[in-house]
Amino acid sequence: MDYRNAFLWYQWDPTKWFIATCSYLGLATNLRVFPNNEIIKGALAMKLKSLKQVQDAVRWPVPPEQLPVVTWETYAALMTSSEVQEESKSRTLILISGFIHDVSTFLEEHPGGSKLLTSNSGLDMTASFFGDRADVRLKRLSMMRVGILAGGVERPAEHATPESQRLYIAER
């Protein structure tokens, strides 16, 4: 058991200074000090606990492993069926890097206007999407994923997990 409440020399702890003075005068012996590394690990654990609460309050995109895999045939049938064409008026789906995205909630915010997205609903927009600042757009787009197109890409790209989610605090 450490006799100190505040382990750094400059931290105010009158008891620590009293006991240290007694030790200096020979009135206290065999004082125990907890290793600094263990103190730092404890402080880090408390910071991570606090960060875990913040992390849990953030809405993260669905991991690629949990998205449904849709074949080309199913996707093509989905986009050409009259039932889906009716639904596409309220739900705009685009394909980028093998991921199917529902961009319906983004139509009004899109810099190119909603017509650009609705006119390309159901199409592969990968080539048009990548360019300057694609990394910023990928972070936002990752929240709109609804599926993965089987055979759309050899494997999900390295940007499938946004940079902000790569460092993830897991439960012990």
Side-chain angles (χ1 to χ4, degrees), residues 81-170:
S81 74
S82 59
E83 181 181 305
V84 173
Q85 286 177 346
E86 279 300 311
E87 184 186 347
S88 70
K89 292 177 182 170
S90 63
R91 189 172 184 202
T92 305
L93 301 175
I94 61 170
L95 180 65
I96 296 176
S97 294
F99 289 102
I100 302 167
H101 300 85
D102 181 354
V103 294
S104 307
T105 58
F106 184 63
L107 291 176
E108 298 305 316
E109 298 174 47
H110 189 268
S114 61
K115 185 171 175 145
L116 184 64
L117 290 176
T118 54
S119 64
N120 290 301
S121 184
L123 301 177
D124 188 346
M125 298 303 297
T126 305
S128 301
F129 181 81
F130 286 98
D132 291 341
R133 311 277 300 153
D135 56 329
V136 174
R137 292 190 299 265
L138 280 170
K139 289 177 188 175
R140 182 120 190 234
L141 196 61
S142 69
M143 296 298 292
M144 300 176 205
R145 290 181 186 152
V146 293
I148 297 176
L149 188 62
V153 289
E154 288 181 28
R155 63 180 184 78
E158 66 278 352
H159 56 264
T161 304
E163 188 177 309
S164 59
Q165 197 178 352
R166 287 188 191 135
L167 176 61
Y168 190 82
I169 301 167

Side-chain angles (χ1 to χ4, degrees), residues 54-68:
V54 172
Q55 174 183 283
D56 291 344
V58 173
R59 191 175 69 108
W60 297 99
V62 177
E65 308 82 48
Q66 294 177 9
L67 290 172

Side-chain angles (χ1 to χ4, degrees), residues 14-15 20 35 41 49-52 56 69 76 80 88 108 110 124 127 131 134 139 152-153 160 171:
T15 307
K41 284 187 342 189
K49 185 176 181 180
S50 174
L51 287 173
K52 178 74 172 132
D56 291 344
V69 177
T80 56
S88 70
E108 298 305 316
H110 189 268
D124 188 346
K139 289 177 188 175
V153 289
E171 298 282 335

